[in-house]
Amino acid sequence: MDVTSLLGKELTWGRHKFVALLVILVVLPAIFAYSTFAFQHVLPTDAPVGVAPQEASVTEDDLNIATAALTFFSDPQTYDSEDAAMRALSRERVYAVITVPPDLTDESLGTAHFEVYVSGSIVPYQQPAQALTSIVSYTLDDQLPREVTASRTVVGTDYNLSEYMIPMFLLALVSLVALVYLPYTFDQEAAVIDRLRVETSLYAVVASKLAFFAALLVVPLAVFDVTSALAGTDLHVLSLGTALVTLLTFLLLGLVATTLMLLLGLGTWGRIANLLVMLFVLTFSGLAYPVGFFSPARRWFVRQVPTHYSAVTARGFVLRDDPIGLYSDWLLGLAACVVVAAVLFAGTVELYERRA
Amino acid sequence: MVGVSNLTKTYGDTIALDGVTVEWGNGLHCIAGPNGSGKTTLMRVLAGLTRPDGGGIDTPDSLGYAFQEPNIYPDLTVSENLDVFQSLTGGRAAWRETLVERLRLGPERDRKATNLSGGFKKKLDLALALLKEPDALILDEPLADLDPATRRRLVAVATSYADDNCVLACTHNLGAFREDYETLTVVVDATVQRRQTRSELESGPGAAYEAVLDEAGPKRGNGF
């Protein structure tokens, strides 16, 4: 029968494409399944929160008492000043800042008021922050001799989920262009790669591609900006900071993509490898959820991934309109990663030329 | 002048070039040899596409390469392909038009390269190689799978270009070049086995190749 013969052919084909099928049928489902288990709790009980003194008279004992009480439902980090804690809030090192009043153990004094600051840009933490405020009030009131109250203050614009998703979509788009479309166009060059190598160099070919697509990324930035404005939102998509982090992220991922393409011979394998890198970036950059929602091990891992810092800085520029200086160290880190990726690319070109 | 001296290249355990020394001046030079003998590796080394393990290479700065499998942008039209490489190599507009006219590419200008016939792809590939008016031109199996008329046209363009430049044609089809070539270099087992100059052509085009293959053993002839 024709169908039997053709099924036999499919089987033979499958044996030749075993690795591709393994990736599609085993690796990808495993990644998807693992991703769903990443969020341990609906309300995270170990998200990092900052603890800072409300005034200079707050003692270390006061801070320690508050910190000890907070340990039950968060991962408290102590800061010397409210400014330092608020800076950490902007940089998403903590998701709330709890300021501690002085003399917590002095019964003669009246009510001790704790202030819980949360960023309006970290939308997924809005509800946990409400719960946190109630817990702060309830738990500390129970444990301290003074009567305790707590109130929540939202810092910056109070965004909704749709607005929060804009920087995520922006970086997802950058990943798509760098890790799917750029490799696709590079793959198309395979038909003419030897002529290009005779007439110019692989460096020039890749540099022109990166420059072209980097310039094109202005278009989606503008589209995001215009659509956000039309929707009446207070976003800052077309800003120097957003453009900078978009450019650095694209260059980093684009260099990784072209390196993989050359390493794997400008073909299907390179494109599959880049697809896996994209899944990795989307899964392990904390694009959608703040890393504080993850397990400690995964939180640590995500903080080793350069594109995590792209996600945080993009949120900072788009949602909080933060100054570039707030993220200068991370932007320099991203630039350093671009340089390292360029060096690796150069090494791969050398390898490609030797093997040709 | 194009030449190599004591050129070596290996791929793993396979020796592709084993101390090859040869040079060519202006004119048309054919290079022949059995499949896998090292001809294409030699051409690619000359073009800088393959790095040799050792030996010296002497090539002019401007070198064109027409590939066995045409190296053209399949999604671009003939004109767009010419535009890209004219811009890249700085080719003259008048020379481009000459090439288009001599290779009869004009009617196909607006057709995507992927939709061209095999012959037109070869012609476009040759045009791209010649756009910058290189001092040396390498033709890797330029006549493979072409109809006789297209062959004649490509040979005519190559031989006329060889009047003032060095043209190296790596080919099995020696008959097509007939008395037009200056020398025949026969590559067998990664080495240059023999060279036949114009003065030796009396014994017929490709006689040196025939002789070398005869010496190589009784593998030729009707295999049935």
Side-chain angles (χ1 to χ4, degrees):
Chain A
M1 263 185 72
D2 287 352
V3 172
T4 312
S5 302
L6 291 172
L7 278 174
K9 186 272 294 178
E10 294 297 338
L11 204 58
T12 307
W13 175 88
R15 280 202 297 270
H16 286 295
K17 303 289 181 190
F18 177 74
V19 180
L21 289 173
L22 192 72
V23 168
I24 294 166
L25 302 177
V26 179
V27 177
L28 290 185
I31 290 174
F32 290 146
Y34 178 75
S35 303
T36 64
F37 300 131
F39 311 107
Q40 289 186 312
H41 314 287
V42 175
L43 289 180
T45 55
D46 56 358
V49 300
V51 180
Q54 281 179 5
E55 53 189 76
S57 60
V58 174
T59 63
E60 200 164 316
D61 281 347
D62 291 327
L63 288 175
N64 287 340
I65 289 166
T67 302
L70 291 166
T71 305
F72 295 111
F73 46 85
S74 67
D75 177 20
Q77 324 271 320
T78 309
Y79 291 88
D80 291 338
S81 67
E82 195 174 316
D83 283 349
M86 296 306 272
R87 188 171 188 270
L89 181 66
S90 281
R91 288 160 60 94
E92 297 184 19
R93 308 308 278 181
V94 295
Y95 300 119
V97 170
I98 296 158
T99 57
V100 180
D103 306 317
L104 290 180
T105 51
D106 189 347
E107 283 183 73
S108 62
L109 297 171
T111 302
H113 183 73
F114 287 74
E115 194 67 51
V116 178
Y117 293 100
V118 291
S119 171
S121 63
I122 307 298
V123 176
Y125 201 69
Q126 299 286 19
Q127 286 193 331
Q130 286 175 7
L132 178 75
T133 309
S134 303
I135 293 169
V136 165
S137 172
Y138 174 80
T139 308
L140 290 174
D141 189 55
D142 202 37
Q143 292 185 359
L144 294 176
R146 288 175 66 184
E147 189 179 335
V148 170
T149 60
S151 61
R152 187 178 73 107
T153 301
V154 176
V155 179
T157 308
D158 199 358
Y159 288 107
N160 59 36
L161 191 60
S162 308
E163 293 161 327
Y164 172 80
M165 300 285 264
I166 293 293
M168 184 198 87
F169 283 132
L170 174 64
L171 288 180
L173 186 82
V174 170
S175 303
L176 191 74
V177 172
L179 295 166
V180 177
Y181 196 63
L182 178 70
Y184 166 75
T185 63
F186 200 29
D187 192 10
Q188 299 295 298
E189 304 276 356
V192 75
I193 201 72
D194 278 342
R195 178 166 307 291
L196 289 169
R197 289 177 61 216
V198 169
E199 308 298 357
T200 173
S201 69
L202 285 171
Y203 295 107
V205 172
V206 170
S208 62
K209 279 195 175 301
L210 290 177
F212 178 70
F213 284 107
L216 281 187
L217 284 175
V218 173
V219 177
L221 279 179
V223 170
F224 275 124
D225 195 68
V226 169
T227 50
S228 301
L230 288 175
T233 62
D234 180 26
L235 299 179
H236 311 275
V237 186
L238 267 186
S239 68
L240 185 61
T242 312
L244 190 60
V245 72
T246 302
L247 176 68
L248 288 173
T249 307
F250 171 74
L251 288 179
L252 174 61
L253 296 180
L255 281 165
V256 168
T258 47
T259 299
L260 282 173
M261 289 299 288
L262 276 183
L263 207 56
L264 297 172
L266 283 181
T268 309
W269 288 118
R271 289 166 66 179
I272 288 177
N274 277 309
L275 198 62
L276 292 176
V277 173
M278 190 179 80
L279 287 172
F280 176 89
V281 167
L282 296 180
T283 308
F284 293 106
S285 297
L287 288 184
Y289 276 85
V291 292
F293 280 49
F294 303 150
S295 65
R298 186 168 166 184
R299 189 186 308 166
W300 175 87
F301 183 74
V302 167
R303 284 182 172 159
Q304 315 309 310
V305 179
T307 43
H308 163 62
Y309 298 94
S310 303
V312 176
T313 49
R315 276 198 287 269
F317 293 133
V318 174
L319 300 175
R320 299 187 284 271
D321 197 21
D322 285 333
I324 290 176
L326 184 62
Y327 306 108
S328 55
D329 53 342
W330 290 351
L331 292 171
L332 282 172
L334 274 174
C337 289
V338 171
V339 172
V340 170
V343 170
L344 288 176
F345 171 74
T348 307
V349 169
E350 178 72 15
L351 193 67
Y352 183 87
E353 301 275 1
R354 280 176 193 273
R355 289 195 309 204
Chain B
M1 176 76 76
V2 175
V4 294
S5 60
N6 205 24
L7 201 64
T8 57
K9 175 68 184 177
T10 55
Y11 292 103
D13 295 334
T14 306
I15 299 171
L17 296 172
D18 189 7
V20 171
T21 299
V22 62
E23 66 177 36
W24 302 276
N26 280 359
L28 176 65
H29 306 275
C30 286
I31 297 146
N35 293 331
S37 59
K39 307 183 300 290
T40 296
T41 301
L42 178 58
M43 298 298 101
R44 289 178 64 84
V45 167
L46 285 170
L49 288 169
T50 294
R51 288 192 190 173
D53 298 332
I57 306 162
D58 182 17
T59 55
D61 289 339
S62 179
L63 185 142
Y65 201 124
F67 294 87
Q68 183 172 0
E69 290 294 327
N71 259 241
I72 52 185
Y73 280 109
D75 293 336
L76 301 187
T77 65
V78 169
S79 284
E80 288 167 340
N81 265 285
L82 290 165
D83 289 345
V84 170
F85 286 98
Q86 187 183 0
S87 164
L88 202 56
T89 62
R92 290 184 299 122
W95 173 241
R96 167 182 164 157
E97 286 313 305
T98 303
L99 286 173
V100 168
E101 189 267 322
R102 292 202 63 188
L103 290 165
R104 305 275 163 87
L105 285 167
E108 309 292 330
R109 274 178 205 270
D110 298 324
R111 182 176 282 199
K112 272 191 177 181
T114 192
N115 296 329
L116 294 174
S117 67
F120 272 103
K121 283 179 181 168
K122 280 271 191 189
K123 287 199 262 187
L124 175 58
D125 191 66
L126 179 59
L128 297 181
L130 283 168
L131 259 180
K132 62 182 175 184
E133 299 175 71
D135 297 325
L137 172 67
I138 292 173
L139 306 170
D140 192 0
E141 293 294 354
L143 308 178
D145 304 325
L146 297 182
D147 64 65
T150 309
R151 275 186 202 178
R152 282 195 294 276
R153 186 147 296 279
L154 259 67
V155 168
V157 171
T159 50
S160 76
Y161 195 73
D163 288 344
D164 301 312
N165 302 283
C166 176
V167 176
L168 305 179
C170 192
T171 182
H172 291 296
N173 202 326
L174 295 167
F177 289 99
R178 297 197 170 273
E179 279 90 23
D180 295 318
Y181 62 76
E182 297 283 330
T183 67
L184 168 66
T185 303
V186 183
V187 181
V188 178
D189 291 339
T191 58
V192 172
Q193 290 283 330
R194 192 162 299 187
R195 292 193 80 201
Q196 181 185 39
T197 61
R198 179 177 283 281
S199 61
E200 295 167 325
L201 284 173
E202 290 149 7
S203 50
Y209 187 23
E210 296 291 319
V212 168
L213 291 184
D214 282 341
E215 289 163 15
K219 294 144 193 143
R220 296 186 308 121
N222 191 333
F224 294 99

